[in-house]
Every structure is written in structure tokens, then in C-alpha cells.
């Protein structure tokens, strides 16, 4: 679930950025005929994300390299697992190494932290979803990593859904006015979500024809009341102050979705190593 | 210390990514004539990084908006500090908001964590430096944020310095052979660093004419011995396993630089909020 | 409802394409100091679309030209109406003229034919919508023109909605299986539409939880039956063989949307002229 | 007669535009291992244009697909003719389908209407030519389609020829002055055409050394007189108010070229269908 | 006679190439508030070309700098002439300096050498023209510089004219066959030139309807004979082995154009200096 | 020592520039099925540079052509040497020919003139280096050609080294102040060079900790004195007024590097020819 042409562009940008005009070390310290053999291992338990991207980075730089994938995206693997072997001309592979690892670590970090949140709400009806709090330039990769970690995507971009907030409501006059205005003109396959801070807004937005509600920074009590009011007619998303401690009780209120910005914005790095052997 | 043309390109990519074909919500839920007034506040103590980038994002989208900067990049500010006010046409400012915040938060997170590491080694002669473990597409911003947090940059890209590692040494035959080969051809304003895992390599690399040494994963004892051997003739960089606990003892061995990948790769997000008021 | 950065890119591409290395005629046959005064008139009744794009083309080429807009996008104007005056340095304006007109005519053609279809179904509950049968490279402009003509957009691109067709159903096993599979993974603000060729599929898709149905090439009788079955629970779109004659009866069956590919694919050109006066 | 690198760029832009961040339907409703078999048929008699472009679209997306071309560009084919079969991985082919058809239909529409005009003037010495009234972004494809339909190209872009109009003449002082000025500086392989609205201008432009004349909106009588005056020394182009009724009499006046904007600007869409079969 | 959008692109590429990630010297050795005052002087007699490009480079980098142009493109100026003064923020101007000078020197070198060749053939009817032997990426600038030096352009690119050579003749069967084939399909404002190595080919090409002839590597005697045969009906271009010694006799044979590759390929650099004064 | 992705971009730009919308001659005068056989020969003694770039140009245009390389980059070859044979479809190879030759000639010219300078200083300890006086857009190729000619690169771009000049010194207050300021913030693998016009500045810069000195426009006496003062502690570069006559005495003063702008800015073109044979 990643567009190949979009991935091409991200990889090209990343390699050009990391190389600059020339990879001096590879050109000067490695004989042209040298071969490399890389082993990529994880040094901690992770959910894999980006193994195909890493392969694509090496292939972009060294079209005839051999990338043997030993794990699949979405798989949970133990510390010490061999993730891939890469062999081919040493110069190009050494040039590509850091970019491949940077992307693989970044995506796996997101998938791993996502999976940890998902585990917390296992057994409830709630699904973890992401936000637009992503790293500029890498959204598609990050949203893909969220899926691999067991989460879902909220919307891909500003064209992929409408979110009516308090400010929109105030300039439009009312929730009803705002929803009416939007639903008269939005592309017909796009849903309209309304942010509610109070329970009376839940009733108003439901009546106005919203397709989904965002319950922002509500107490557990307010969430439960909102769930009761809506009665399953449209999905409910909870957000605000969600962390490892608070997510389970929120999920148990019966909401459908819980959105967490920090899975994309603040995933702690995972430790993936690359052992290289060169030969002439 | 950020190239304006490079920043233009990053901002354009980021806005296009976040918008997609059209920002449906702004277009449909906000009257064309509405005005917005944004207050950007930090909700925790941070080192500011990216305030001018945030301004540039809003100006790219709304050329005639007013961005009043209340803080400077590099400044440490308390929780609750007003960072900037932005006023202008509501639609464009709302479209730009998330991208501006994503960049400001990302850079401030890096500056803040960098400053925390720098504080740990205050009073020693060691300087904190970064690595190439950066987010693909955002290296220039991240390296700038490291500077704002009180760190220094190692090299900007693969054209900005040579790093001879064990693999290069093995294919070249010896440290001396590798250094000689590289120094005969490298651009003359570029330094050549040699990675050493053992103390005997330090002696060999120094003799070979290396401009700088990377002491990788050495014990404190080995670091001290290396410092003594080199005697200030060339700078020494320590790396490997550096965290908040280990960095001070490492700094006290007398090394010149300590490189830490996680300041760019794993900086925990900082909480910066935007309060918007719309009016028609 | 057009993203300014996207419009910039389309205009730049269009001007570069039309000019090639240099506009020989303007450079060689027009003195550098000559001024131009253009009057843009419509030679037939049209619905205006693209007047701001035309202005942007002239401004891209001649930043200090004066473009006086006399009509608004979306307005229906009579034959002979002055649409705009443009004044400024002659060379640049002459270079931009053809590109500005090509875009203005193309968009106005679409808005005008859309309005003609919309007029046919006035008073019914049906809304005219567009398709992905657009001119490659100009989709955003064409979808905007459809809105200006009184139509609505279906989805902006393949990321903006799911359309399950017979082929998807056959590889998934059943409508229920296909819908379930998609709804488990689609971004949560995106609707899922199912194409139905038979009335029994309508029942099945409704039960499966589809958000909207496409009734493809159905007879009026089948459409009416489908409308009765669904009873307003989800929107219904009719498509296939829609033209000026058939659209009204289709609309009267009670469907919510009627999609027509030819409004974007085959809108007959409208005649808009530009009268230029040069002076030195 | 289409530059492959230019075609690459058009196809990439078109696919990126149609897909957005991801083709949700293909990714979610089609198993990764599914295969597709497409049959592309025309549902009306057409002159084929763009069959190689359609192939290139599929190959760009699915490098290892098999595209069996059953017809050639420029061929006139009957309703119901199988134009091509495409087989390969289903996801990518389904993603590419709409873009391939949009381009194939657009180009074939132009070739078909061009051929209809060409048929009208068969047996005269006149040749049908195109104009700069093309769809921004697709000029090369449209000019190629005109050739395939039996027409010729006028100039490719503003660097590909000079056209002196009344305005240029007035600022330069006279036809003679304008032609002299241009011919002193134009690239030496480029022709200079002068637009004439009156017969006396024909004499003046011929004497001034114009390489070709555009006889704009002249009566048949004026055209005949112009043909007589020029006597074959330079080619003559007629333009203005040309349609299926007027083109033959214009051609019979003896002009060399007749230019028609609507062949590129207003070609009615042709009906080409794609039948897909998926299998797992 | 330079397209502004094309110039924008060349300047952006040039600045990005020269800067890399950041201009370290300007950022680190120049206070942010420092101002610069540059005087650009020529240190030898030159024909000026590129003064507006130089201005555009400084403005691209420092939009609010003041560039006072003291000379005009095309002007011959004496050693020591002040060409321009530039004032503004020091950092940006220092960053732009080298790129501005590189372009100004490159273009002025071409204009200056072109003028020297033109001077050699003064009084004859021959005009100096350029070739496609230009520096990749800078053709438009170089062809413009040729014009400023008093030369003319041959064709701008491969779309701007047809040149039939011996190889084309051999695969087509004869000059007549090749010319016929091309003239039946070439855009109608484009001329067709035929390369002739022998005098009998001149007769054949003239009879075939060529618009212009290239007389390649002919002796003066053959050139004179060709001129006599053609008798002014079409223009003649001489090429091959043209240098400062041979050009005058060639011109005196009566040919219309003489093409010289080395004016663009091998113009000796001109010495233009920049004196900078910084102040805080 | 050329980055393949950077080369791709240069070649694409060059081909697009040279072709424009279409290579009319190849398309119209060459049958689609014709084959070409090219022999590339040098017509003078040269140092080869760019043979792999030439191959890449042909392959970009004709992926399945055969390019048989007969010489290596860096090799000195005699007049008349066959450099390469290229065979494949004629149209594409003819289109690519001029771009391939333009790049090959440009690079070989630089390598050849560089080698001539290098020969002049053979036996001294001085090494020839280049400058930033390169052709905008082609720096990487030109710096590579300098290496092939036996020279070295100074810095690749403004991010690849710091050069403190008199102006920086005056705004910073002193050489010591400027060096201190820069060395506190520069990336740690980057050297800092100080330009000295007088011998006392050499002492000052050495004391300040400069990594290298540029001795600009010094007399031989001053150069010798500077060499004596520095005593090999840091490298010394001489520049200014260097030509074939002056370079040897400068080298004999004992400086380490001599920089010459004209090797990249003013290398006289070398004569490389291409003989084509077409067959059908």
C-alpha cells in the first residue's frame, strides 16, 4: 500500500541529499572492483516496516545488486533476527547504506510503537488511527508504517476528508450551518467529520448529518455519554492526551477510533545494524 | 545558517504533500473573506528552532500575512511563552498551519534534546556533534537545529568529509595505505577521519596523517589512552553507546567531540500549540 | 477551490510548452518599450470558468501588468460581454495570450456544458457529478470548472474514494467479502462505493455496509426499484449512456447523483476572443 | 514522431495526478497476486492515435506487463475492433487503466476529426494544418495526433516560426518594416509568415520577402485573388471560420494550407472501452 | 531575447550547484547585518553579454539588493569600465557573486569572440552564424550572446530546423527523395537545409526544393561555383575549417552565412573582476 | 568519481535542451528501421575525459544500443585514435550524437589543458588544483575532468570548505577573530583556509589556527618567504596570474598547491569527430 512512483521520488531525494556532489569515501577508499556483502540485523524486537523500501534504495543505486529479504513488512521479529542480505559492487552499496537504514529504522520505529499502542486496546472495539502530525516529505511512508503496526489511517491529506472544528463552526454560525455548507459541495465520496468538545455538540452534529465525530479532550464520562447518544449510527473518534496509560480506559468507553499524534511524531528510534564485509 | 533556496524547496514539498489536490475544509467551511489570528505557544520549556521556517511556510501560502515573531531561534523559552502571532486571510493560513507546526515542532525537538546533552558535558572540553542519522529530506533543517541547541555538525553529506572505516582499511591493506590513497585525491579543503576500534589503530592512523579520529565503542580507559597518545595534535571524536548517563564520563576523558545519532533520529516531540480565532 | 501552488505548476508547464526556447515573434517584431491593451470578450453565451487562471497566466509572465476582471467565475454571461482588460508591456503579454485563452476557453467550455446538463435536471433531487475521464494534467482545473457549472465532484483521484466493481467482487468472492476487506483498511474519512449492475446486487451491497452505490447502465425501471429498496439510507449514483435526452428521466427515478464523463471529456469549445492594441 | 523523454514526463505527471497518494481500491480490493487481462476495443470507427502511449502508460506502472498491440497508430479501424490486450499483475494495471484510456481517447478523437476534415478536401491541393489552440500540457501528443489523422503541423511552439500580425505591423510602421526587422534577426532555418486581412497586404507582404502568408477571414473571392497574385512563389494559408461546410470551397480557391483550431480544441470524444478480467 | 522563465531555471540550478547545502563562509565569517558594496569592472575590452543575467542572479538570492547597471548588453566597453554596482546584505551577495560572474564572463567571452569574427567579414554579404556545438544546459544564453556579438542563430534546437546530411540521403536513396519525404511532413514554418559536399549536389538539392544549403568543407573555388549556380534563389551556408585567417576569403565567395562552432565551444575567457567592500 | 544520479540529471537536461519538442530531421529523414554505426575518433592528441558520459548519453536515448569503449577516461591518446563504436537504431543515436560529443569534447578539453599545466610542474612538490570558476550546471563533470588530467579539486561547492578573504577579516576585526569565529561553528570535517596578500598575514593566519593558506598574487620572493615561515605545518596554495610561463617558477617556491581558473573556464576545444554510417 505504497505508490511506487511516489517511493521513487522519496528515495531519489534522500540519496541526493545524503550524497551531495559525490560520496568521497567510497570513491577514494574503495577499489572500483570491490564487492560488498551486507547483513542487516535488528538489535531489538521490532515490527518490520520498510524492508522493501530499503531494497529499493539499494537497487536504485546498484541496479544489479542482490537483496535477499529475510523478513516481511508487518512481521514482529526478535532481537538478533537477520532482516536481509545485500551483495553487489561495494562502492554503490556503501553509498546507499545510510539512506536505506535511515528509512528502515524510521518506518520500523513507527510500526513498533503503533503495535505497542494497538496491544493496549486489544479486545475493545476501538481502532488506533493516525493524524496529520507526520514528518514533512515522508507522510506516505509513515502512514504505511502505521498500517503495518496494526493501526489505520485517518485521512491521507487535506483533500482526503473534511474536519469541521470550532472555528469553522463560529464563522459559519452553527454546526448545522457548517455541515450543510460543506456537504453541499464536498466530493461525494468524502466524509465530513465534526469536532465536538461538549456533549451537546454531539447531538447537534449528529442531527446535522455529520459522517463522523471527533470527541476532543473529553473526559471518560463525556465519551461514554457521547457513545450512548450516537448509538452506533456514525463512528466516533477520541483524541487528546492519549498515552500508554490513558488509551485503554478511553477505548473501553466504546469509541470506534482513537487518534494518536505521537506514533508518527515521536516514535523512539529502533536499533537496526548493518554489518559489512568487503572483498576485492 | 540555512540556505533559503533549499528551504523553499522543502516547504513547497511539504505543503503539496499535506494539501493534496485541495484543502477541502478551508475551501468549504471558511468564507473567502474570513480573517484568522493565530497564537503559537509552547506548552513546555524548549529551545526554539524553526521559527523562521514556520514564518516562511505561512508566507509561502499567504504572501501578505503578518507573522510577528516573539522569540528567536536558539532561545530557551519557558512553558506558556507566546512564540508568534500570525494574521491574514483565514483559508490560506489554516491550510499552512499543520505544515508550519510540524516543522517547528520537529526542529525544536531536536534543538531541545541537543541542549540537554550539551548541558551534561558543560565544563568539559568536549563538543556534541551530530551524524548522518537524519530524517531523509530534512537533513539541512535537522543539522541547523543541532547548531541551535548548542551542538556542532560533523559533515553535511558524503561530499563533506571522508570517514575511513575498518572495511576500507581491510580492502586497502592497512590504515596507512587507505589514508595515503584518499589524501592523494580528496578535495584539498576536506578532512580525512579514520575510525579506530583499538588503541594501536590510533597510533597507526596518527602516523598515517589522518586529520581526525573516530574512537568507536571504546571503553573510558581506551579513550583516555587515545587522548594521551594523540596529545592534541588532531581532534578526537568518541561515538557508540552514548546516552544521558554515559556522556559525561566520556567527555571527561578529554576527547574533543562526541557524536550522538539519537539527537536527530529520536528526539521526543515537543508540545507547541496553535490557537486560532477566525472572524468574518 | 483551486490550490494556488498546483495552479502555479500548471501555468508554468503550459507557458514553457507554448514558448519553447523563445517567443521569436514578440522579441523580434515588437519593440521592447511597446505597451499592449487587450480586451477579452466572449462571442457566445457562456458560464465563466478560469478568469482567475487567465489573470494568473498574464501575471506569471508580466508581474506588473494590470488585469481588470469584469466577470466572475461561475457567472453566466451574454455573447459580447467584456470579460477582462489587460494592460502592460506588450512582449510579455503577447507571449502569454494564447496560454491564457487556451485555459480560459477549456474551463469555460466545461462549465458551460455542465450548466446545460444541470438545467435539464432542475427541480429533481439529482445532482450532476463528474468522473475521472479528465484531460491528463488538468484535472484540478476541470473539476473546478464542473463546480462552477453547478455540478459536483465525485472523487478527486484514486486516493479520494473507493469504487468496488464487478471484477473486485469476483476476485474477493462476493460483495460482502469485498466491502468487508476494504472497510477494514480504508482511511476512515473515505467512503466506499459499490458498482451494481443488477437489483439484487443493490440489496447485497446495502447489507454489506457500502457507503454509496453506483447503478451502472440500469434501465429506468431498475433505477426506480433500486431507489425504493435503498429508501434514502445511502446515496445512489446513476451512470452509463447519459446524454441530454436521457438525463431527465434518469433524474426523475429519484437517484441522488448522475455522473457524466463527457462534460470533461468532450465539452465543445467556446468562442472567446482577444482584441489587442499595441502602442509605442 | 514523438520524443520519448517528453512522453515519459507527460505519463508520469498524468499517473501521479490520477493516483494521488495511493490507489486505494486496487490496494484494498485486489489481492497482491491477482492477474489481470484487459481487452481494449473501440466502440466506433476511429483513426487510431496513441496506442503506443497507452502501452507506455501500462509499462511505466507495470514494467513486466505484456501489451499486445493489435492496431497501428494512423490506422482507420471499424467499430468493435480489438485494439490491444494487456496482461500482468492486476493492481498496477488497474491503476494505470484510466490514464491510458484518457490519453488514447483524447488522441484518437483528434486524429479522427482531423481525418474527417482531410477527407473533405481530398483532391484539392490544400493541406489541413493545426494551430497553437491546444490543450496545455499535451501539445506534442495533440500535434502528433493531427499528423496521424492526415494533417500537418503549423509550428510546434513560439520558437518554431514567426507570425507577423496587424499589431506588429502597426508598431513597426509597415509590413515591409516588420518583415525586414524580423528577417535580420530570426534563426536562419525559421520561416516568417505574415497575416493578411486584405488583398493589398498580400502584395506588400510578398514584396517584403515573407516566407508564407496567412489569409485571415478572407472571402473566397479574396482568397482566389490572393492565390493569383502570389502565383505559387510562397505558400498561402487560409484561416478563420473553417468548418465542415466551408472547408471544401476554401480549399478549391487554390490555397496551400487551411488551419483549423477546433481539431485540437474541440474534438468530440471517441468511445473506446476496456474489458477487464481478473484472476487469482 | 531570452525567455525569463528559462533564465530563472538556469540561475536556480547554477546557484544550487555552487552552494551545496550551505555557503559556510558567508554564514560563519560575515555578520548577519553586514552590508556589501560590489563594483564589477572589466579588465579588458569586451562586448558585454549577460549583464541582466548577472543582475538576475543577485536578485534571486537577495531580492532587495540594488543592482545599478552601468553598461548594456551588446555594448563594446574598454578595459577598466565599471559594469555595475551591487549593494545589499553581504551574506547573500557574497553567495551569489561567483555564479553571477561565471555567467557574465562566459557570455561576454562568446559575444567578444563573435564580434571579432564578425569584424573580419565586415563589408561582405556574409553573416556569421552559430551551431549546436554549445555547452549543455546553457544553449539559450550562448545563442543570445552570439546575437549580442553581432552574429545570428542557425537553429535553436533539433525542432527548429531540418538538416539533411549525406547519411540521410543515402538511406532515402537520393537528395530528391530525402527532401520530398521531409517537406511532406515538416511543420510548415520550418526550413529544410541540405548539406552538400560537392557541386553537383548543389544543383540536385536546389532542384529538389531545399530551402537552404550547407556547403561543407568546400574549397573557395567550389564555394564560388555554388554561389553562381544558386544565383540567390536560396541562402547558402559555408562551414568547416573556419578560423580568423580563412573566414574573410570564404565570405568573399558570396555565401550568405558562415557557421563557426568555436565561438560557442571555445571562446577564451574574458577577465571581469569584482571588488567587494563590506561594512557592518 | 562522478555520482550516477547527478550524471543522469545533467544528461536529461542536455538532451531535452538539444531536442526541443522533437528531432525533426531524424524522424522525417530516417526510416524507423534504419540502423546506425558510429565511429568516434579524436583528431588530435588528447587526455580522454567523458567517454563514460558519452556512453550514458547514447544509452539514455537508445537503451539497447551497443557502445564499445576503446579508450579509458584519463588515458592520453594519439591523433586518429578510435575512441568508441556505437551501433543501434539510427534515429535515437542520431538524436543523441551532438549532446554526447558536446560533453565528451568539453570534458576532454579540460583534462587535456589540465595535463599540460601538470606537465609544467612535474618534479616539483606542487599540485595543480581547480577553482569555482566552472561552467554553471557542469561543475561535477568539470571537476572530474580536472582529476583525469592529473589535477586535484580545491572544494566542490560553498559547503565544501571555508575561504576567509580580506573582506571577512575586515568585518570580523582581524584574522584571528575571523578564524576563531569560523572554527567554532564549521562542520568538523571541513578545513578553513585564509587568503593572505602579505607575508605578515601568513604569520597571523598560521597562529590563528588556519588549516591552509591561499597566497594570492604574491611575488616569487613573497611565496618563498611564506613557505619558509610555515615550514610545512599547513599546506599553502598559490593563486593569481598563473599561466604556462609563470607556473613553473611558482611551483619551485615550494608551495603545495597552485590554483588555475582557466583550466575550467577557458580550455580550448578539442577536435573529436564522429563518422556515421546508416543502413536500412
Amino acid at each position: 500500500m505504497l505508490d511506487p512512483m511516489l517511493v521513487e521520488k522519496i528515495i531519489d531525494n534522500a540519496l541526493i541529499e545524503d550524497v551531495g556532489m559525490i560520496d568521497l569515501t567510497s570513491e577514494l577508499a574503495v577499489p572500483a572492483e570491490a564487492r560488498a556483502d551486507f547483513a542487516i540485523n535488528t538489535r531489538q524486537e521490532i515490527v518490520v516496516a520498510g524492508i522493501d523500501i530499503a531494497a529499493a534504495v539499494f537497487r536504485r543505486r546498484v541496479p544489479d545488486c542482490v537483496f535477499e529479504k529475510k523478513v516481511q513488512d508487518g512481521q514482529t521479529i526478535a532481537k538478533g533476527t537477520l532482516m536481509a542480505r545485500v551483495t553487489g559492487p561495494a562502492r554503490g552499496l556503501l553509498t546507499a547504506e545510510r539512506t536505506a537504514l535511515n528509512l528502515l529504522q524510521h518506518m520500523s520505529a513507527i510500526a513498533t510503537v503503533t503495535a505497542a499502542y494497538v496491544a493496549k486496546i486489544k479486545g475493545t472495539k476501538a481502532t488506533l488511527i493516525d493524524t496529520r502530525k507526520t514528518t514533512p516529505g515522508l507522510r506516505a511512508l509513515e502512514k504505511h508504517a502505521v498500517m503495518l503496526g496494526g493501526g489505520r489511517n485517518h485521512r491521507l491529506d487535506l483533500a482526503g476528508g473534511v474536519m469541521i472544528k470550532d472555528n469553522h463552526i463560529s464563522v459559519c454560525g452553527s454546526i448545522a450551518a457548517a455541515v450543510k455548507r460543506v456537504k453541499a459541495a464536498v466530493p461525494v465520496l468524502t466524509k465530513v467529520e465534526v469536532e465536538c468538545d461538549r456533549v451537546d455538540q454531539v447531538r447537534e452534529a449528529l442531527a446535522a448529518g455529520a459522517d463522523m465525530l471527533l470527541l476532543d479532550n473529553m473526559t471518560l464520562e463525556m465519551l461514554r455519554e457521547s457513545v450512548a447518544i450516537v448509538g452506533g449510527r456514525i463512528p466516533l473518534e477520541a483524541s487528546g492526551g492519549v498515552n500508554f496509560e490513558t488509551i485503554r480506559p478511553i477505548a473501553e468507553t466504546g469509541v470506534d477510533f482513537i487518534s494518536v499524534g505521537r506514533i508518527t511524531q515521536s516514535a523512539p528510534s529502533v536499533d537496526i545494524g548493518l554489518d559489512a564485509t568487503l572483498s576485492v
Side-chain angles (χ1 to χ4, degrees), chain A residues 42-90:
Chain A
T42 183
R43 295 169 181 161
Q44 65 176 83
E45 182 181 300
I46 58 168
V47 176
V48 180
I51 193 73
D52 297 317
I53 306 295
V57 172
F58 285 113
R59 288 199 187 104
R60 173 66 178 94
R61 195 71 196 185
V62 184
D64 58 343
C65 75
V66 175
F67 186 97
E68 291 173 74
K69 188 166 67 162
K70 306 293 191 184
V71 296
Q72 298 295 330
D73 269 358
Q75 202 178 330
T76 301
I77 59 173
K79 179 177 174 175
T81 304
L82 175 66
M83 299 177 71
R85 290 197 84 90
V86 200
T87 52

Side-chain angles (χ1 to χ4, degrees), chain A residues 13 38 45 60 63 73 84 122 129 144 146 163 165 177-178 192 194 202 209 211 227 238 245 247:
Chain A
N13 282 348
F38 291 173
E45 182 181 300
R60 173 66 178 94
D73 269 358
K122 201 175 168 189
I129 59 174
H144 182 50
V146 168
M163 171 71 81
K165 299 192 175 183
V192 177
V194 176
V202 170
D211 294 312
V227 169
E245 278 66 46
I247 193 168

